[in-house]
Amino acid sequence: MLVAILAAFIVTWLVAPLTIKLAFKLGAIDQPDPRKVHRQTMPRLGGLAIFVGFMLPAVFLVKGLPGYDGIIIGALLMFVVGWLDDLYSLSPHVKLLGQSLAVIVAMYMGVMVHFVTNPFVGLTGIGFLGVPVTFLWLVGITNAVNLIDGLDGLAAGVSAIAALTMGVVAYLQGQTMVAIVTLILAAAILGFLPYNFHPSRTFMGDCGSNFLGFILAALAVMSSTKSTTVLSLFVPIVILGIPIFDTCFAIIRRFYNHQPIFKPDRSHLHHRLLSLGYSHRQSVLIIYGISLFFGAAAVILSFINSPQASIWLVVIILFILWGAGKLGIFNLKRRSG
């Protein structure tokens, strides 16, 4: 296990500089604009390093295991969709179609939610409803991670914290393989972070954010299917709290303001922190701190198997809503008339 984790870190760290050269050669570069924070042309194929660093050890470890082949193939397809988007700037609808195809393949190969949590009676089977639930979860988290990729090191750091947390929870619950794979993922991300933290030398691009979002979401599904705790499906939501709630707030904000759901804006959490006067690096570190809080809460909740745990979930959600309101993340414009 330690060899695989170390290999993921080293391979990613060695491949990352090569992806910078490749991005400039292929024209996969990110130009600055008024909505973006960076002010110079940046290569955006860094996700290739994370992909290679993770896949090389992970494929050999999980080959033939139920469900994991679906994760590997789905992740490969999701990476390709992001790669094409980085090279050719796909339209949102074409991109969503490609993501949907990757998710459907993964579901067909065994990545599926079979039950939901009822804190009063335990785990409840959902039958065929598992199909739409799994689909929405995998597509939703994939795009959520993509949406928070707005500052140097932000999506990578938050994803690394989520992977580490998921690995700790899985290990403590005896889910050895889930723990190993998530820790390999975390190591690959950490191998990339020195090139991506502010001031960044490269962006992970959509190939990276798509890949990370899908892998995290799929591993959460695998973890929940092997868990017997009542809060098994709530824990991944807490672990991935930053991308999930930031995306939910963006959808609410754009819907209320009569804006297209896919239209970018500057009201995400990182934008609000910058507008409050925090520096680029300070904003990222603050969000890391929030992610660590969510991670600690998830570890605690994973061992609470009673209805009282739901009360703590409600408290956490109310705290998030209060904080979002204070920061102006909702940014709901008054309707005339």
Side-chain angles (χ1 to χ4, degrees):
M1 181 180 80
L2 292 178
V3 172
I5 293 172
L6 185 61
F9 177 88
I10 293 174
V11 169
T12 303
W13 184 73
L14 291 175
V15 172
L18 303 178
T19 67
I20 296 174
K21 297 178 181 179
L22 180 63
F24 280 112
K25 184 175 181 180
L26 297 178
I29 55 178
D30 201 321
Q31 300 288 357
D33 65 38
R35 190 187 67 85
K36 297 175 182 177
V37 176
H38 65 95
R39 292 293 174 262
Q40 70 261 16
T41 299
M42 294 293 294
R44 59 179 183 187
L45 288 181
L48 174 61
I50 302 175
F51 176 80
V52 174
F54 171 82
M55 283 292 194
L56 283 181
V59 167
F60 292 103
L61 285 173
V62 304
K63 185 178 180 180
L65 295 179
Y68 284 98
D69 285 346
I71 293 179
I72 296 299
I73 299 300
L76 172 61
L77 294 174
M78 197 66 78
F79 172 82
V80 170
V81 172
W83 176 278
L84 293 174
D85 191 35
D86 288 329
L87 291 178
Y88 305 111
S89 298
L90 304 178
S91 72
H93 296 93
V94 171
K95 183 178 175 181
L96 181 60
L97 180 63
Q99 292 174 340
S100 299
L101 175 62
V103 166
I104 289 171
V105 169
M107 291 168 58
Y108 177 78
M109 297 181 71
V111 181
M112 186 72 66
V113 175
H114 297 289
F115 52 78
V116 294
T117 298
N118 183 327
F120 299 101
V121 300
L123 302 176
T124 303
I126 56 176
F128 71 91
L129 290 177
V131 173
V133 169
T134 306
F135 180 86
L136 291 173
W137 171 258
L138 295 176
V139 172
I141 298 301
T142 297
N143 285 286
V145 172
N146 179 264
L147 282 177
I148 67 167
D149 189 21
L151 295 181
D152 294 352
L154 181 56
V158 169
S159 296
I161 292 170
L164 285 169
T165 304
M166 207 174 294
V168 169
V169 172
Y171 176 77
L172 293 175
Q173 294 186 345
Q175 302 176 35
T176 305
M177 187 52 65
V178 175
I180 293 173
V181 176
T182 50
L183 293 178
I184 289 173
L185 179 63
I189 299 170
L190 293 175
F192 172 71
L193 204 50
Y195 301 94
N196 186 234
F197 196 72
H198 187 72
S200 176
R201 292 173 56 189
T202 182
F203 293 161
M204 70 169 65
D206 276 20
C207 64
S209 59
N210 274 15
F211 172 73
L212 287 181
F214 175 82
I215 284 286
L216 287 169
L219 288 172
V221 171
M222 294 300 293
S223 177
S224 67
T225 59
K226 298 178 183 297
S227 176
T228 58
T229 61
V230 171
L231 292 174
S232 58
L233 293 183
F234 286 145
V235 169
I237 294 176
V238 178
I239 292 174
L240 297 165
I242 289 291
I244 288 175
F245 286 105
D246 198 43
T247 299
C248 289
F249 295 153
I251 293 173
I252 293 171
R253 181 173 63 245
R254 293 166 189 174
F255 178 80
Y256 186 90
N257 294 333
H258 300 291
Q259 296 175 339
I261 296 298
F262 294 106
K263 181 182 178 180
D265 60 31
R266 291 186 60 87
S267 293
H268 290 284
L269 174 58
H270 54 277
H271 291 131
R272 298 307 304 159
L273 290 173
L274 290 172
S275 70
L276 290 173
Y278 292 102
S279 69
H280 192 126
R281 183 170 295 195
Q282 287 173 332
S283 298
V284 172
L285 291 176
I286 288 172
I287 297 176
Y288 283 2
I290 298 172
S291 294
L292 287 170
F293 166 77
F294 283 147
V299 172
I300 294 171
L301 287 173
S302 67
F303 292 99
I304 300 177
N305 199 9
S306 68
Q308 285 75 19
S310 300
I311 298 175
W312 287 107
L313 282 172
V314 172
V315 170
I316 292 172
I317 292 173
L318 290 176
F319 176 76
I320 292 170
L321 293 174
W322 174 81
K326 286 292 184 180
L327 289 172
I329 292 175
F330 288 112
N331 193 22
L332 303 181
K333 300 175 183 177
R334 292 193 178 189
R335 302 189 187 210
S336 59

mmCIF file of all heavy atoms in Angstrom, residues 150-171:
data_model
loop_
_atom_site.group_PDB
_atom_site.id
_atom_site.type_symbol
_atom_site.label_atom_id
_atom_site.label_comp_id
_atom_site.label_asym_id
_atom_site.label_seq_id
_atom_site.Cartn_x
_atom_site.Cartn_y
_atom_site.Cartn_z
ATOM 1 N N GLY A 150 -11.374 27.726 -9.367
ATOM 2 C CA GLY A 150 -11.273 29.127 -9.762
ATOM 3 C C GLY A 150 -10.066 29.862 -9.210
ATOM 4 O O GLY A 150 -9.804 30.987 -9.610
ATOM 5 N N LEU A 151 -9.336 29.259 -8.283
ATOM 6 C CA LEU A 151 -8.119 29.850 -7.737
ATOM 7 C C LEU A 151 -7.000 28.822 -7.771
ATOM 8 O O LEU A 151 -7.261 27.613 -7.755
ATOM 9 C CB LEU A 151 -8.334 30.311 -6.289
ATOM 10 C CG LEU A 151 -9.323 31.450 -6.032
ATOM 11 C CD1 LEU A 151 -9.375 31.762 -4.542
ATOM 12 C CD2 LEU A 151 -8.964 32.699 -6.823
ATOM 13 N N ASP A 152 -5.780 29.299 -7.782
ATOM 14 C CA ASP A 152 -4.633 28.386 -7.801
ATOM 15 C C ASP A 152 -4.678 27.440 -6.604
ATOM 16 O O ASP A 152 -4.729 27.881 -5.454
ATOM 17 C CB ASP A 152 -3.322 29.182 -7.745
ATOM 18 C CG ASP A 152 -3.097 30.031 -8.977
ATOM 19 O OD1 ASP A 152 -3.869 29.902 -9.935
ATOM 20 O OD2 ASP A 152 -2.130 30.834 -8.977
ATOM 21 N N GLY A 153 -4.673 26.150 -6.889
ATOM 22 C CA GLY A 153 -4.619 25.146 -5.835
ATOM 23 C C GLY A 153 -5.921 24.870 -5.117
ATOM 24 O O GLY A 153 -5.960 24.013 -4.231
ATOM 25 N N LEU A 154 -6.998 25.562 -5.493
ATOM 26 C CA LEU A 154 -8.247 25.419 -4.737
ATOM 27 C C LEU A 154 -8.892 24.057 -4.935
ATOM 28 O O LEU A 154 -9.099 23.304 -3.971
ATOM 29 C CB LEU A 154 -9.232 26.530 -5.122
ATOM 30 C CG LEU A 154 -10.572 26.509 -4.391
ATOM 31 C CD1 LEU A 154 -10.370 26.536 -2.887
ATOM 32 C CD2 LEU A 154 -11.443 27.686 -4.831
ATOM 33 N N ALA A 155 -9.226 23.713 -6.181
ATOM 34 C CA ALA A 155 -9.888 22.432 -6.436
ATOM 35 C C ALA A 155 -8.985 21.265 -6.053
ATOM 36 O O ALA A 155 -9.449 20.263 -5.493
ATOM 37 C CB ALA A 155 -10.287 22.330 -7.907
ATOM 38 N N ALA A 156 -7.685 21.394 -6.329
ATOM 39 C CA ALA A 156 -6.754 20.316 -5.994
ATOM 40 C C ALA A 156 -6.679 20.109 -4.482
ATOM 41 O O ALA A 156 -6.765 18.980 -3.991
ATOM 42 C CB ALA A 156 -5.368 20.626 -6.552
ATOM 43 N N GLY A 157 -6.530 21.199 -3.731
ATOM 44 C CA GLY A 157 -6.414 21.083 -2.280
ATOM 45 C C GLY A 157 -7.675 20.560 -1.627
ATOM 46 O O GLY A 157 -7.626 19.686 -0.755
ATOM 47 N N VAL A 158 -8.829 21.086 -2.045
ATOM 48 C CA VAL A 158 -10.102 20.628 -1.493
ATOM 49 C C VAL A 158 -10.326 19.155 -1.827
ATOM 50 O O VAL A 158 -10.798 18.379 -0.983
ATOM 51 C CB VAL A 158 -11.264 21.499 -2.026
ATOM 52 C CG1 VAL A 158 -12.617 20.883 -1.676
ATOM 53 C CG2 VAL A 158 -11.168 22.907 -1.454
ATOM 54 N N SER A 159 -9.971 18.757 -3.039
ATOM 55 C CA SER A 159 -10.123 17.352 -3.435
ATOM 56 C C SER A 159 -9.190 16.456 -2.639
ATOM 57 O O SER A 159 -9.558 15.334 -2.258
ATOM 58 C CB SER A 159 -9.844 17.192 -4.938
ATOM 59 O OG SER A 159 -10.789 17.900 -5.717
ATOM 60 N N ALA A 160 -7.966 16.926 -2.381
ATOM 61 C CA ALA A 160 -7.020 16.139 -1.588
ATOM 62 C C ALA A 160 -7.535 15.939 -0.162
ATOM 63 O O ALA A 160 -7.454 14.837 0.393
ATOM 64 C CB ALA A 160 -5.654 16.827 -1.558
ATOM 65 N N ILE A 161 -8.084 17.006 0.426
ATOM 66 C CA ILE A 161 -8.644 16.904 1.776
ATOM 67 C C ILE A 161 -9.825 15.941 1.792
ATOM 68 O O ILE A 161 -9.966 15.108 2.701
ATOM 69 C CB ILE A 161 -9.072 18.295 2.285
ATOM 70 C CG1 ILE A 161 -7.834 19.178 2.505
ATOM 71 C CG2 ILE A 161 -9.879 18.179 3.589
ATOM 72 C CD1 ILE A 161 -8.159 20.633 2.772
ATOM 73 N N ALA A 162 -10.673 16.024 0.765
ATOM 74 C CA ALA A 162 -11.818 15.114 0.670
ATOM 75 C C ALA A 162 -11.356 13.669 0.530
ATOM 76 O O ALA A 162 -11.898 12.761 1.175
ATOM 77 C CB ALA A 162 -12.700 15.504 -0.519
ATOM 78 N N ALA A 163 -10.341 13.434 -0.313
ATOM 79 C CA ALA A 163 -9.835 12.075 -0.510
ATOM 80 C C ALA A 163 -9.209 11.528 0.777
ATOM 81 O O ALA A 163 -9.433 10.371 1.145
ATOM 82 C CB ALA A 163 -8.819 12.060 -1.647
ATOM 83 N N LEU A 164 -8.427 12.354 1.460
ATOM 84 C CA LEU A 164 -7.816 11.925 2.722
ATOM 85 C C LEU A 164 -8.881 11.588 3.761
ATOM 86 O O LEU A 164 -8.785 10.582 4.474
ATOM 87 C CB LEU A 164 -6.891 13.022 3.251
ATOM 88 C CG LEU A 164 -5.553 13.185 2.532
ATOM 89 C CD1 LEU A 164 -4.867 14.468 2.973
ATOM 90 C CD2 LEU A 164 -4.653 11.984 2.784
ATOM 91 N N THR A 165 -9.897 12.437 3.844
ATOM 92 C CA THR A 165 -10.985 12.190 4.799
ATOM 93 C C THR A 165 -11.716 10.902 4.471
ATOM 94 O O THR A 165 -11.990 10.083 5.360
ATOM 95 C CB THR A 165 -11.988 13.360 4.795
ATOM 96 O OG1 THR A 165 -11.303 14.580 5.068
ATOM 97 C CG2 THR A 165 -13.073 13.145 5.842
ATOM 98 N N MET A 166 -12.022 10.712 3.200
ATOM 99 C CA MET A 166 -12.708 9.501 2.776
ATOM 100 C C MET A 166 -11.860 8.263 3.079
ATOM 101 O O MET A 166 -12.377 7.220 3.490
ATOM 102 C CB MET A 166 -13.011 9.587 1.276
ATOM 103 C CG MET A 166 -14.224 8.773 0.827
ATOM 104 S SD MET A 166 -14.610 9.054 -0.927
ATOM 105 C CE MET A 166 -15.103 10.776 -0.883
ATOM 106 N N GLY A 167 -10.548 8.401 2.888
ATOM 107 C CA GLY A 167 -9.656 7.292 3.183
ATOM 108 C C GLY A 167 -9.618 6.947 4.661
ATOM 109 O O GLY A 167 -9.637 5.775 5.042
ATOM 110 N N VAL A 168 -9.593 7.981 5.512
ATOM 111 C CA VAL A 168 -9.587 7.757 6.957
ATOM 112 C C VAL A 168 -10.875 7.077 7.404
ATOM 113 O O VAL A 168 -10.855 6.097 8.170
ATOM 114 C CB VAL A 168 -9.393 9.089 7.710
ATOM 115 C CG1 VAL A 168 -9.648 8.903 9.209
ATOM 116 C CG2 VAL A 168 -7.995 9.628 7.474
ATOM 117 N N VAL A 169 -12.012 7.585 6.930
ATOM 118 C CA VAL A 169 -13.308 6.999 7.299
ATOM 119 C C VAL A 169 -13.391 5.553 6.841
ATOM 120 O O VAL A 169 -13.818 4.662 7.590
ATOM 121 C CB VAL A 169 -14.465 7.822 6.696
ATOM 122 C CG1 VAL A 169 -15.809 7.110 6.897
ATOM 123 C CG2 VAL A 169 -14.526 9.211 7.331
ATOM 124 N N ALA A 170 -12.969 5.305 5.599
ATOM 125 C CA ALA A 170 -13.015 3.939 5.064
ATOM 126 C C ALA A 170 -12.121 3.001 5.872
ATOM 127 O O ALA A 170 -12.504 1.871 6.190
ATOM 128 C CB ALA A 170 -12.602 3.942 3.595
ATOM 129 N N TYR A 171 -10.938 3.454 6.202
ATOM 130 C CA TYR A 171 -10.002 2.619 6.968
ATOM 131 C C TYR A 171 -10.564 2.295 8.353
ATOM 132 O O TYR A 171 -10.499 1.143 8.812
ATOM 133 C CB TYR A 171 -8.662 3.335 7.101
ATOM 134 C CG TYR A 171 -7.659 2.583 7.953
ATOM 135 C CD1 TYR A 171 -6.976 1.482 7.443
ATOM 136 C CD2 TYR A 171 -7.411 2.972 9.276
ATOM 137 C CE1 TYR A 171 -6.064 0.783 8.220
ATOM 138 C CE2 TYR A 171 -6.504 2.279 10.057
ATOM 139 C CZ TYR A 171 -5.832 1.183 9.531
ATOM 140 O OH TYR A 171 -4.946 0.497 10.310
#
